[in-house]
Amino acid sequence: MRYAHTNIVSKDWEALAEFYVRTFDCTIIPPIRNQSGKWLTKGTGVKNAKLKGAHLLLPGHGENGPTLEIYQYEEILNLESITPNTRGFSHIAFEVDSVETVLNKLMQNGGSAYGEITTREVLGVGTITFIYAKDPEGNLIELQSWK
């Protein structure tokens, strides 16, 4: 068994995919998905499901690593803002060399800071510097650096 992907449902999959490519050096893995039909409805449980999107290879795991799947359904149900303590899936995290550098890049590409850069020693593990931020559609991202 191995971990395969995490999905983000987007209102503009192309723009959001470009954000992750520019900010985190993700790579789009062809083909671009344009899917619909009874098989998709049956598998997802979404009536008349129709979607477009792509898989982005995440950095640091090689050619066969896990992906970030960004899909835009023809019909999207809106969700209120997600906070770090919202029940269920909350955020994705990237381990980076410099939290401040990547946060600046994230904001230049349309994202925003959610918390403040914080450093804390975790006994027996090391020192973490981290912040929660948001992508242009409000999905939470943790930037972290361990020393």
Short mmCIF file of all heavy atoms in Angstrom, two decimals, residues 9-80:
data_model
loop_
_atom_site.label_atom_id
_atom_site.label_comp_id
_atom_site.label_asym_id
_atom_site.label_seq_id
_atom_site.Cartn_x
_atom_site.Cartn_y
_atom_site.Cartn_z
N VAL A 9 -10.89 20.48 -4.57
CA VAL A 9 -11.92 20.88 -5.52
C VAL A 9 -11.84 22.40 -5.62
O VAL A 9 -11.90 23.10 -4.62
CB VAL A 9 -13.32 20.42 -5.06
CG1 VAL A 9 -14.39 20.98 -5.99
CG2 VAL A 9 -13.38 18.90 -5.02
N SER A 10 -11.68 22.89 -6.84
CA SER A 10 -11.39 24.29 -7.09
C SER A 10 -12.48 24.95 -7.93
O SER A 10 -13.14 24.29 -8.73
CB SER A 10 -10.05 24.37 -7.84
OG SER A 10 -9.79 25.67 -8.28
N LYS A 11 -12.63 26.25 -7.77
CA LYS A 11 -13.55 26.99 -8.64
C LYS A 11 -12.87 27.38 -9.95
O LYS A 11 -13.53 27.70 -10.92
CB LYS A 11 -14.12 28.21 -7.92
CG LYS A 11 -13.11 29.21 -7.45
CD LYS A 11 -13.77 30.31 -6.65
CE LYS A 11 -12.70 31.24 -6.08
NZ LYS A 11 -13.24 32.21 -5.17
N ASP A 12 -11.52 27.34 -10.00
CA ASP A 12 -10.75 27.62 -11.22
C ASP A 12 -9.49 26.76 -11.17
O ASP A 12 -8.45 27.19 -10.69
CB ASP A 12 -10.39 29.10 -11.30
CG ASP A 12 -9.65 29.49 -12.58
OD1 ASP A 12 -9.17 28.58 -13.30
OD2 ASP A 12 -9.54 30.69 -12.84
N TRP A 13 -9.61 25.52 -11.65
CA TRP A 13 -8.52 24.56 -11.49
C TRP A 13 -7.23 25.02 -12.16
O TRP A 13 -6.14 24.78 -11.63
CB TRP A 13 -8.92 23.16 -11.97
CG TRP A 13 -8.86 22.97 -13.45
CD1 TRP A 13 -9.88 23.10 -14.35
CD2 TRP A 13 -7.72 22.60 -14.22
NE1 TRP A 13 -9.45 22.84 -15.63
CE2 TRP A 13 -8.11 22.54 -15.58
CE3 TRP A 13 -6.39 22.33 -13.91
CZ2 TRP A 13 -7.23 22.20 -16.61
CZ3 TRP A 13 -5.51 22.00 -14.94
CH2 TRP A 13 -5.93 21.94 -16.27
N GLU A 14 -7.33 25.67 -13.31
CA GLU A 14 -6.11 26.09 -14.02
C GLU A 14 -5.34 27.14 -13.22
O GLU A 14 -4.11 27.05 -13.09
CB GLU A 14 -6.45 26.61 -15.41
CG GLU A 14 -6.92 25.50 -16.34
CD GLU A 14 -7.46 26.01 -17.65
OE1 GLU A 14 -8.35 26.88 -17.65
OE2 GLU A 14 -6.97 25.53 -18.69
N ALA A 15 -6.03 28.13 -12.67
CA ALA A 15 -5.37 29.17 -11.88
C ALA A 15 -4.78 28.60 -10.60
O ALA A 15 -3.66 28.94 -10.21
CB ALA A 15 -6.36 30.30 -11.56
N LEU A 16 -5.52 27.70 -9.93
CA LEU A 16 -5.01 27.13 -8.69
C LEU A 16 -3.82 26.21 -8.96
O LEU A 16 -2.83 26.23 -8.22
CB LEU A 16 -6.11 26.38 -7.95
CG LEU A 16 -5.78 26.03 -6.51
CD1 LEU A 16 -5.48 27.28 -5.68
CD2 LEU A 16 -6.91 25.24 -5.87
N ALA A 17 -3.87 25.43 -10.02
CA ALA A 17 -2.73 24.58 -10.39
C ALA A 17 -1.50 25.45 -10.66
O ALA A 17 -0.39 25.13 -10.21
CB ALA A 17 -3.07 23.72 -11.60
N GLU A 18 -1.68 26.53 -11.36
CA GLU A 18 -0.56 27.44 -11.65
C GLU A 18 0.04 28.02 -10.37
O GLU A 18 1.25 28.18 -10.26
CB GLU A 18 -1.02 28.56 -12.59
CG GLU A 18 0.09 29.47 -13.05
CD GLU A 18 1.19 28.77 -13.84
OE1 GLU A 18 0.95 27.71 -14.45
OE2 GLU A 18 2.33 29.29 -13.83
N PHE A 19 -0.79 28.32 -9.38
CA PHE A 19 -0.30 28.80 -8.08
C PHE A 19 0.64 27.76 -7.46
O PHE A 19 1.73 28.10 -7.00
CB PHE A 19 -1.48 29.08 -7.14
CG PHE A 19 -1.07 29.29 -5.72
CD1 PHE A 19 -0.60 30.51 -5.29
CD2 PHE A 19 -1.14 28.25 -4.80
CE1 PHE A 19 -0.20 30.71 -3.97
CE2 PHE A 19 -0.75 28.42 -3.48
CZ PHE A 19 -0.28 29.66 -3.06
N TYR A 20 0.24 26.49 -7.44
CA TYR A 20 1.07 25.45 -6.84
C TYR A 20 2.33 25.17 -7.66
O TYR A 20 3.38 24.86 -7.10
CB TYR A 20 0.25 24.17 -6.60
CG TYR A 20 -0.62 24.30 -5.38
CD1 TYR A 20 -1.94 24.74 -5.48
CD2 TYR A 20 -0.13 24.02 -4.11
CE1 TYR A 20 -2.73 24.90 -4.35
CE2 TYR A 20 -0.92 24.17 -2.97
CZ TYR A 20 -2.22 24.62 -3.11
OH TYR A 20 -2.99 24.78 -1.99
N VAL A 21 2.25 25.32 -8.97
CA VAL A 21 3.44 25.17 -9.82
C VAL A 21 4.43 26.29 -9.52
O VAL A 21 5.62 26.05 -9.29
CB VAL A 21 3.04 25.16 -11.32
CG1 VAL A 21 4.25 25.34 -12.22
CG2 VAL A 21 2.29 23.87 -11.65
N ARG A 22 3.95 27.54 -9.49
CA ARG A 22 4.84 28.70 -9.27
C ARG A 22 5.37 28.76 -7.84
O ARG A 22 6.51 29.15 -7.62
CB ARG A 22 4.10 30.01 -9.58
CG ARG A 22 3.89 30.27 -11.06
CD ARG A 22 3.42 31.69 -11.33
NE ARG A 22 2.50 32.22 -10.36
CZ ARG A 22 1.20 32.38 -10.52
NH1 ARG A 22 0.64 32.04 -11.66
NH2 ARG A 22 0.44 32.88 -9.57
N THR A 23 4.54 28.42 -6.87
CA THR A 23 4.92 28.58 -5.47
C THR A 23 5.74 27.42 -4.94
O THR A 23 6.71 27.63 -4.20
CB THR A 23 3.67 28.78 -4.59
OG1 THR A 23 2.92 29.89 -5.10
CG2 THR A 23 4.04 29.06 -3.15
N PHE A 24 5.38 26.19 -5.28
CA PHE A 24 5.98 25.01 -4.68
C PHE A 24 6.72 24.11 -5.67
O PHE A 24 7.09 23.00 -5.33
CB PHE A 24 4.92 24.20 -3.93
CG PHE A 24 4.30 24.95 -2.79
CD1 PHE A 24 3.01 25.46 -2.90
CD2 PHE A 24 5.02 25.19 -1.62
CE1 PHE A 24 2.44 26.16 -1.85
CE2 PHE A 24 4.46 25.90 -0.58
CZ PHE A 24 3.17 26.40 -0.69
N ASP A 25 6.91 24.59 -6.90
CA ASP A 25 7.64 23.82 -7.92
C ASP A 25 6.99 22.47 -8.22
O ASP A 25 7.68 21.50 -8.54
CB ASP A 25 9.11 23.64 -7.53
CG ASP A 25 9.85 24.95 -7.40
OD1 ASP A 25 9.53 25.89 -8.17
OD2 ASP A 25 10.73 25.07 -6.53
N CYS A 26 5.67 22.41 -8.09
CA CYS A 26 4.96 21.20 -8.51
C CYS A 26 5.01 21.11 -10.03
O CYS A 26 5.21 22.11 -10.71
CB CYS A 26 3.50 21.26 -8.05
SG CYS A 26 3.30 21.24 -6.26
N THR A 27 4.80 19.92 -10.56
CA THR A 27 4.82 19.69 -12.00
C THR A 27 3.52 19.03 -12.42
O THR A 27 3.10 18.04 -11.82
CB THR A 27 5.98 18.74 -12.37
OG1 THR A 27 7.20 19.28 -11.86
CG2 THR A 27 6.10 18.58 -13.87
N ILE A 28 2.88 19.58 -13.45
CA ILE A 28 1.65 18.97 -13.97
C ILE A 28 2.00 17.67 -14.69
O ILE A 28 2.90 17.63 -15.51
CB ILE A 28 0.90 19.93 -14.90
CG1 ILE A 28 0.37 21.12 -14.10
CG2 ILE A 28 -0.25 19.21 -15.63
CD1 ILE A 28 -0.35 22.17 -14.92
N ILE A 29 1.28 16.61 -14.33
CA ILE A 29 1.48 15.30 -14.96
C ILE A 29 0.36 15.09 -15.98
O ILE A 29 -0.81 14.97 -15.61
CB ILE A 29 1.43 14.17 -13.92
CG1 ILE A 29 2.52 14.36 -12.87
CG2 ILE A 29 1.58 12.82 -14.60
CD1 ILE A 29 2.42 13.38 -11.72
N PRO A 30 0.69 15.05 -17.28
CA PRO A 30 -0.33 14.78 -18.28
C PRO A 30 -0.93 13.39 -18.08
O PRO A 30 -0.28 12.52 -17.49
CB PRO A 30 0.43 14.86 -19.60
CG PRO A 30 1.68 15.62 -19.28
CD PRO A 30 2.00 15.29 -17.85
N PRO A 31 -2.16 13.18 -18.59
CA PRO A 31 -2.97 14.12 -19.35
C PRO A 31 -3.82 15.00 -18.44
O PRO A 31 -4.08 14.65 -17.29
CB PRO A 31 -3.88 13.18 -20.16
CG PRO A 31 -4.09 12.01 -19.25
CD PRO A 31 -2.78 11.84 -18.50
N ILE A 32 -4.26 16.13 -18.98
CA ILE A 32 -5.26 16.96 -18.31
C ILE A 32 -6.54 16.14 -18.28
O ILE A 32 -6.93 15.54 -19.27
CB ILE A 32 -5.47 18.29 -19.06
CG1 ILE A 32 -4.15 19.08 -19.13
CG2 ILE A 32 -6.58 19.11 -18.42
CD1 ILE A 32 -3.53 19.43 -17.78
N ARG A 33 -7.20 16.11 -17.13
CA ARG A 33 -8.42 15.30 -17.00
C ARG A 33 -9.65 16.11 -17.45
O ARG A 33 -9.78 17.27 -17.11
CB ARG A 33 -8.63 14.89 -15.54
CG ARG A 33 -7.81 13.77 -14.94
CD ARG A 33 -6.55 13.37 -15.60
NE ARG A 33 -5.89 12.30 -14.85
CZ ARG A 33 -4.62 12.32 -14.50
NH1 ARG A 33 -3.84 13.32 -14.83
NH2 ARG A 33 -4.11 11.30 -13.85
N ASN A 34 -10.51 15.45 -18.21
CA ASN A 34 -11.80 15.99 -18.63
C ASN A 34 -12.74 14.80 -18.58
O ASN A 34 -12.85 14.05 -19.55
CB ASN A 34 -11.71 16.60 -20.03
CG ASN A 34 -12.97 17.32 -20.43
OD1 ASN A 34 -13.97 17.28 -19.70
ND2 ASN A 34 -12.95 17.97 -21.57
N GLN A 35 -13.40 14.61 -17.44
CA GLN A 35 -14.08 13.35 -17.18
C GLN A 35 -15.56 13.55 -16.88
O GLN A 35 -15.94 14.51 -16.21
CB GLN A 35 -13.39 12.64 -16.00
CG GLN A 35 -11.92 12.39 -16.26
CD GLN A 35 -11.17 11.88 -15.05
OE1 GLN A 35 -11.63 11.97 -13.93
NE2 GLN A 35 -9.99 11.32 -15.28
N SER A 36 -16.34 12.61 -17.36
CA SER A 36 -17.78 12.58 -17.06
C SER A 36 -18.32 11.22 -17.45
O SER A 36 -17.61 10.42 -18.05
CB SER A 36 -18.51 13.69 -17.83
OG SER A 36 -18.40 13.47 -19.23
N GLY A 37 -19.55 10.98 -17.09
CA GLY A 37 -20.18 9.72 -17.49
C GLY A 37 -20.70 8.94 -16.29
O GLY A 37 -20.47 9.30 -15.14
N LYS A 38 -21.39 7.87 -16.62
CA LYS A 38 -21.99 7.04 -15.58
C LYS A 38 -20.94 6.48 -14.62
O LYS A 38 -21.17 6.38 -13.43
CB LYS A 38 -22.78 5.89 -16.21
CG LYS A 38 -24.04 6.35 -16.90
CD LYS A 38 -24.79 5.17 -17.50
CE LYS A 38 -26.02 5.68 -18.25
NZ LYS A 38 -26.78 4.58 -18.85
N TRP A 39 -19.76 6.13 -15.14
CA TRP A 39 -18.70 5.57 -14.30
C TRP A 39 -18.27 6.56 -13.22
O TRP A 39 -18.02 6.18 -12.08
CB TRP A 39 -17.51 5.12 -15.15
CG TRP A 39 -16.76 6.28 -15.77
CD1 TRP A 39 -17.03 6.89 -16.97
CD2 TRP A 39 -15.65 6.97 -15.20
NE1 TRP A 39 -16.15 7.93 -17.18
CE2 TRP A 39 -15.29 8.00 -16.11
CE3 TRP A 39 -14.93 6.85 -14.02
CZ2 TRP A 39 -14.25 8.89 -15.87
CZ3 TRP A 39 -13.88 7.73 -13.79
CH2 TRP A 39 -13.55 8.73 -14.71
N LEU A 40 -18.17 7.86 -13.58
CA LEU A 40 -17.75 8.88 -12.63
C LEU A 40 -18.86 9.13 -11.60
O LEU A 40 -18.59 9.26 -10.40
CB LEU A 40 -17.38 10.18 -13.35
CG LEU A 40 -16.75 11.26 -12.50
CD1 LEU A 40 -15.44 10.79 -11.87
CD2 LEU A 40 -16.49 12.52 -13.34
N THR A 41 -20.09 9.20 -12.06
CA THR A 41 -21.23 9.34 -11.16
C THR A 41 -21.27 8.18 -10.17
O THR A 41 -21.45 8.37 -8.97
CB THR A 41 -22.54 9.43 -11.96
OG1 THR A 41 -22.54 10.66 -12.70
CG2 THR A 41 -23.76 9.40 -11.05
N LYS A 42 -21.09 6.98 -10.69
CA LYS A 42 -21.14 5.78 -9.84
C LYS A 42 -20.01 5.79 -8.80
O LYS A 42 -20.23 5.53 -7.63
CB LYS A 42 -21.06 4.53 -10.70
CG LYS A 42 -21.25 3.25 -9.94
CD LYS A 42 -21.25 2.06 -10.90
CE LYS A 42 -21.41 0.76 -10.13
NZ LYS A 42 -21.38 -0.39 -11.02
N GLY A 43 -18.80 6.10 -9.23
CA GLY A 43 -17.64 6.06 -8.33
C GLY A 43 -17.63 7.17 -7.30
O GLY A 43 -17.24 6.95 -6.15
N THR A 44 -18.06 8.38 -7.69
CA THR A 44 -18.03 9.53 -6.77
C THR A 44 -19.29 9.66 -5.94
O THR A 44 -19.29 10.30 -4.89
CB THR A 44 -17.83 10.85 -7.52
OG1 THR A 44 -18.95 11.08 -8.40
CG2 THR A 44 -16.54 10.86 -8.31
N GLY A 45 -20.39 9.12 -6.44
CA GLY A 45 -21.68 9.32 -5.79
C GLY A 45 -22.26 10.70 -6.06
O GLY A 45 -23.25 11.09 -5.45
N VAL A 46 -21.66 11.46 -6.99
CA VAL A 46 -22.14 12.79 -7.37
C VAL A 46 -22.98 12.65 -8.63
O VAL A 46 -22.48 12.21 -9.67
CB VAL A 46 -20.96 13.77 -7.62
CG1 VAL A 46 -21.47 15.11 -8.13
CG2 VAL A 46 -20.14 13.94 -6.35
N LYS A 47 -24.25 13.01 -8.54
CA LYS A 47 -25.17 12.88 -9.66
C LYS A 47 -24.67 13.71 -10.84
O LYS A 47 -24.33 14.88 -10.70
CB LYS A 47 -26.58 13.32 -9.24
CG LYS A 47 -27.63 13.07 -10.30
CD LYS A 47 -29.01 13.44 -9.80
CE LYS A 47 -30.04 13.18 -10.88
NZ LYS A 47 -31.37 13.55 -10.45
N ASN A 48 -24.62 13.09 -12.04
CA ASN A 48 -24.18 13.74 -13.27
C ASN A 48 -22.80 14.40 -13.13
O ASN A 48 -22.56 15.49 -13.65
CB ASN A 48 -25.20 14.77 -13.76
CG ASN A 48 -26.55 14.14 -14.03
OD1 ASN A 48 -26.64 13.05 -14.62
ND2 ASN A 48 -27.61 14.77 -13.58
N ALA A 49 -21.89 13.74 -12.44
CA ALA A 49 -20.56 14.29 -12.20
C ALA A 49 -19.83 14.59 -13.50
O ALA A 49 -19.84 13.77 -14.43
CB ALA A 49 -19.74 13.33 -11.35
N LYS A 50 -19.25 15.76 -13.57
CA LYS A 50 -18.45 16.18 -14.71
C LYS A 50 -17.36 17.08 -14.17
O LYS A 50 -17.64 18.04 -13.43
CB LYS A 50 -19.33 16.93 -15.72
CG LYS A 50 -18.64 17.27 -17.01
CD LYS A 50 -19.62 17.87 -18.02
CE LYS A 50 -18.91 18.11 -19.33
NZ LYS A 50 -19.82 18.69 -20.33
N LEU A 51 -16.09 16.79 -14.51
CA LEU A 51 -14.99 17.56 -13.95
C LEU A 51 -13.85 17.72 -14.95
O LEU A 51 -13.74 16.99 -15.92
CB LEU A 51 -14.47 16.91 -12.66
CG LEU A 51 -13.91 15.49 -12.74
CD1 LEU A 51 -12.46 15.46 -13.19
CD2 LEU A 51 -14.05 14.81 -11.39
N LYS A 52 -13.02 18.72 -14.67
CA LYS A 52 -11.77 18.96 -15.39
C LYS A 52 -10.70 19.20 -14.35
O LYS A 52 -10.98 19.65 -13.24
CB LYS A 52 -11.89 20.18 -16.30
CG LYS A 52 -12.86 20.03 -17.44
CD LYS A 52 -12.90 21.27 -18.29
CE LYS A 52 -13.91 21.11 -19.41
NZ LYS A 52 -14.00 22.31 -20.24
N GLY A 53 -9.45 18.92 -14.72
CA GLY A 53 -8.37 19.18 -13.78
C GLY A 53 -7.11 18.45 -14.13
O GLY A 53 -6.93 17.95 -15.24
N ALA A 54 -6.21 18.40 -13.14
CA ALA A 54 -4.89 17.81 -13.36
C ALA A 54 -4.32 17.28 -12.06
O ALA A 54 -4.73 17.67 -10.97
CB ALA A 54 -3.95 18.86 -13.95
N HIS A 55 -3.33 16.40 -12.22
CA HIS A 55 -2.52 15.93 -11.10
C HIS A 55 -1.20 16.69 -11.15
O HIS A 55 -0.60 16.82 -12.21
CB HIS A 55 -2.25 14.43 -11.21
CG HIS A 55 -3.38 13.58 -10.75
ND1 HIS A 55 -3.35 12.91 -9.56
CD2 HIS A 55 -4.59 13.32 -11.30
CE1 HIS A 55 -4.48 12.24 -9.40
NE2 HIS A 55 -5.25 12.47 -10.45
N LEU A 56 -0.75 17.17 -9.98
CA LEU A 56 0.52 17.86 -9.87
C LEU A 56 1.46 17.01 -9.03
O LEU A 56 1.12 16.64 -7.90
CB LEU A 56 0.34 19.22 -9.19
CG LEU A 56 -0.20 20.36 -10.04
CD1 LEU A 56 -1.62 20.10 -10.49
CD2 LEU A 56 -0.12 21.65 -9.27
N LEU A 57 2.61 16.70 -9.58
CA LEU A 57 3.62 15.95 -8.83
C LEU A 57 4.18 16.85 -7.75
O LEU A 57 4.61 17.98 -8.02
CB LEU A 57 4.73 15.48 -9.77
CG LEU A 57 5.80 14.58 -9.15
CD1 LEU A 57 5.19 13.27 -8.67
CD2 LEU A 57 6.90 14.31 -10.18
N LEU A 58 4.16 16.36 -6.52
CA LEU A 58 4.66 17.13 -5.39
C LEU A 58 6.18 17.02 -5.32
O LEU A 58 6.75 15.99 -5.67
CB LEU A 58 4.03 16.64 -4.09
CG LEU A 58 2.51 16.89 -4.00
CD1 LEU A 58 1.89 16.06 -2.90
CD2 LEU A 58 2.25 18.37 -3.79
N PRO A 59 6.85 18.08 -4.86
CA PRO A 59 8.32 18.08 -4.84
C PRO A 59 8.88 17.15 -3.76
O PRO A 59 8.25 16.91 -2.74
CB PRO A 59 8.67 19.54 -4.53
CG PRO A 59 7.49 20.05 -3.78
CD PRO A 59 6.30 19.34 -4.37
N GLY A 60 10.08 16.61 -4.04
CA GLY A 60 10.81 15.87 -3.03
C GLY A 60 10.55 14.38 -2.95
O GLY A 60 11.09 13.71 -2.08
N HIS A 61 9.73 13.83 -3.87
CA HIS A 61 9.41 12.40 -3.79
C HIS A 61 9.68 11.65 -5.08
O HIS A 61 9.24 10.50 -5.22
CB HIS A 61 7.94 12.22 -3.38
CG HIS A 61 7.64 12.72 -2.01
ND1 HIS A 61 7.93 11.99 -0.87
CD2 HIS A 61 7.11 13.88 -1.59
CE1 HIS A 61 7.58 12.68 0.19
NE2 HIS A 61 7.08 13.83 -0.22
N GLY A 62 10.34 12.26 -6.03
CA GLY A 62 10.66 11.57 -7.28
C GLY A 62 9.48 11.49 -8.23
O GLY A 62 8.38 11.98 -7.95
N GLU A 63 9.74 10.85 -9.38
CA GLU A 63 8.75 10.78 -10.46
C GLU A 63 7.48 10.02 -10.11
O GLU A 63 6.44 10.24 -10.70
CB GLU A 63 9.37 10.11 -11.69
CG GLU A 63 10.44 10.91 -12.36
CD GLU A 63 11.03 10.18 -13.56
OE1 GLU A 63 10.51 9.12 -13.94
OE2 GLU A 63 12.01 10.70 -14.12
N ASN A 64 7.56 9.10 -9.15
CA ASN A 64 6.41 8.27 -8.81
C ASN A 64 5.83 8.64 -7.45
O ASN A 64 5.12 7.84 -6.84
CB ASN A 64 6.80 6.79 -8.83
CG ASN A 64 7.19 6.35 -10.23
OD1 ASN A 64 6.49 6.67 -11.19
ND2 ASN A 64 8.29 5.65 -10.34
N GLY A 65 6.11 9.86 -7.00
CA GLY A 65 5.64 10.30 -5.70
C GLY A 65 4.17 10.66 -5.71
O GLY A 65 3.50 10.63 -6.75
N PRO A 66 3.64 11.02 -4.55
CA PRO A 66 2.23 11.40 -4.45
C PRO A 66 1.95 12.70 -5.22
O PRO A 66 2.86 13.48 -5.49
CB PRO A 66 2.01 11.58 -2.95
CG PRO A 66 3.36 11.83 -2.38
CD PRO A 66 4.34 11.12 -3.26
N THR A 67 0.69 12.89 -5.55
CA THR A 67 0.30 14.07 -6.31
C THR A 67 -0.75 14.88 -5.57
O THR A 67 -1.41 14.39 -4.66
CB THR A 67 -0.27 13.69 -7.70
OG1 THR A 67 -1.43 12.88 -7.52
CG2 THR A 67 0.75 12.97 -8.55
N LEU A 68 -0.86 16.12 -5.99
CA LEU A 68 -1.95 16.99 -5.58
C LEU A 68 -2.90 17.04 -6.77
O LEU A 68 -2.52 17.48 -7.86
CB LEU A 68 -1.42 18.39 -5.23
CG LEU A 68 -2.43 19.39 -4.72
CD1 LEU A 68 -3.10 18.89 -3.44
CD2 LEU A 68 -1.75 20.72 -4.46
N GLU A 69 -4.11 16.54 -6.57
CA GLU A 69 -5.11 16.46 -7.63
C GLU A 69 -6.01 17.69 -7.50
O GLU A 69 -6.65 17.87 -6.47
CB GLU A 69 -5.90 15.16 -7.45
CG GLU A 69 -7.03 14.95 -8.41
CD GLU A 69 -7.80 13.69 -8.03
OE1 GLU A 69 -8.57 13.74 -7.04
OE2 GLU A 69 -7.63 12.68 -8.72
N ILE A 70 -6.03 18.53 -8.53
CA ILE A 70 -6.87 19.73 -8.49
C ILE A 70 -7.95 19.58 -9.55
O ILE A 70 -7.65 19.54 -10.74
CB ILE A 70 -6.04 21.01 -8.70
CG1 ILE A 70 -4.98 21.12 -7.61
CG2 ILE A 70 -6.97 22.23 -8.71
CD1 ILE A 70 -4.08 22.33 -7.72
N TYR A 71 -9.19 19.47 -9.09
CA TYR A 71 -10.33 19.26 -9.99
C TYR A 71 -11.33 20.40 -9.84
O TYR A 71 -11.52 20.96 -8.75
CB TYR A 71 -11.05 17.95 -9.67
CG TYR A 71 -10.39 16.71 -10.20
CD1 TYR A 71 -10.84 15.46 -9.82
CD2 TYR A 71 -9.32 16.76 -11.10
CE1 TYR A 71 -10.27 14.30 -10.31
CE2 TYR A 71 -8.73 15.60 -11.59
CZ TYR A 71 -9.21 14.38 -11.19
OH TYR A 71 -8.64 13.23 -11.67
N GLN A 72 -12.00 20.68 -10.93
CA GLN A 72 -13.09 21.64 -10.96
C GLN A 72 -14.31 20.91 -11.49
O GLN A 72 -14.35 20.52 -12.66
CB GLN A 72 -12.73 22.82 -11.87
CG GLN A 72 -13.82 23.85 -11.99
CD GLN A 72 -13.37 25.02 -12.87
OE1 GLN A 72 -12.19 25.25 -13.07
NE2 GLN A 72 -14.34 25.75 -13.39
N TYR A 73 -15.27 20.66 -10.61
CA TYR A 73 -16.52 20.02 -11.03
C TYR A 73 -17.40 21.05 -11.73
O TYR A 73 -17.33 22.25 -11.45
CB TYR A 73 -17.28 19.47 -9.82
CG TYR A 73 -16.75 18.15 -9.31
CD1 TYR A 73 -15.63 18.09 -8.49
CD2 TYR A 73 -17.39 16.96 -9.66
CE1 TYR A 73 -15.16 16.87 -8.02
CE2 TYR A 73 -16.92 15.74 -9.19
CZ TYR A 73 -15.80 15.71 -8.38
OH TYR A 73 -15.33 14.50 -7.92
N GLU A 74 -18.24 20.56 -12.64
CA GLU A 74 -19.18 21.46 -13.30
C GLU A 74 -20.12 22.08 -12.28
O GLU A 74 -20.48 23.25 -12.37
CB GLU A 74 -19.96 20.68 -14.36
CG GLU A 74 -20.81 21.56 -15.24
CD GLU A 74 -21.39 20.79 -16.40
OE1 GLU A 74 -22.45 20.14 -16.21
OE2 GLU A 74 -20.80 20.83 -17.49
N GLU A 75 -20.52 21.29 -11.28
CA GLU A 75 -21.36 21.80 -10.19
C GLU A 75 -20.56 21.69 -8.89
O GLU A 75 -20.16 20.60 -8.49
CB GLU A 75 -22.65 21.00 -10.07
CG GLU A 75 -23.57 21.53 -8.98
CD GLU A 75 -24.85 20.73 -8.83
OE1 GLU A 75 -25.21 19.99 -9.77
OE2 GLU A 75 -25.50 20.85 -7.78
N ILE A 76 -20.32 22.82 -8.26
CA ILE A 76 -19.51 22.86 -7.04
C ILE A 76 -20.36 23.32 -5.87
O ILE A 76 -21.09 24.31 -5.97
CB ILE A 76 -18.31 23.83 -7.20
CG1 ILE A 76 -17.39 23.34 -8.32
CG2 ILE A 76 -17.53 23.95 -5.90
CD1 ILE A 76 -16.29 24.31 -8.68
N LEU A 77 -20.28 22.61 -4.77
CA LEU A 77 -20.93 23.03 -3.53
C LEU A 77 -19.95 23.90 -2.75
O LEU A 77 -18.81 23.49 -2.54
CB LEU A 77 -21.35 21.82 -2.70
CG LEU A 77 -22.29 20.83 -3.38
CD1 LEU A 77 -22.56 19.65 -2.46
CD2 LEU A 77 -23.58 21.52 -3.78
N ASN A 78 -20.37 25.07 -2.34
CA ASN A 78 -19.49 25.97 -1.61
C ASN A 78 -19.37 25.56 -0.15
O ASN A 78 -20.30 25.03 0.45
CB ASN A 78 -19.98 27.42 -1.71
CG ASN A 78 -19.73 27.99 -3.09
OD1 ASN A 78 -18.69 27.74 -3.68
ND2 ASN A 78 -20.69 28.75 -3.59
N LEU A 79 -18.22 25.85 0.43
CA LEU A 79 -17.91 25.56 1.82
C LEU A 79 -17.47 26.85 2.47
O LEU A 79 -16.74 27.63 1.86
CB LEU A 79 -16.78 24.52 1.89
CG LEU A 79 -16.25 24.15 3.25
CD1 LEU A 79 -17.31 23.37 4.03
CD2 LEU A 79 -15.00 23.28 3.09
N GLU A 80 -17.91 27.07 3.69
CA GLU A 80 -17.44 28.25 4.42
C GLU A 80 -15.95 28.12 4.66
O GLU A 80 -15.36 27.07 4.48
CB GLU A 80 -18.19 28.38 5.75
CG GLU A 80 -19.67 28.64 5.60
CD GLU A 80 -19.98 29.93 4.85
OE1 GLU A 80 -19.32 30.95 5.11
OE2 GLU A 80 -20.87 29.90 3.98
#
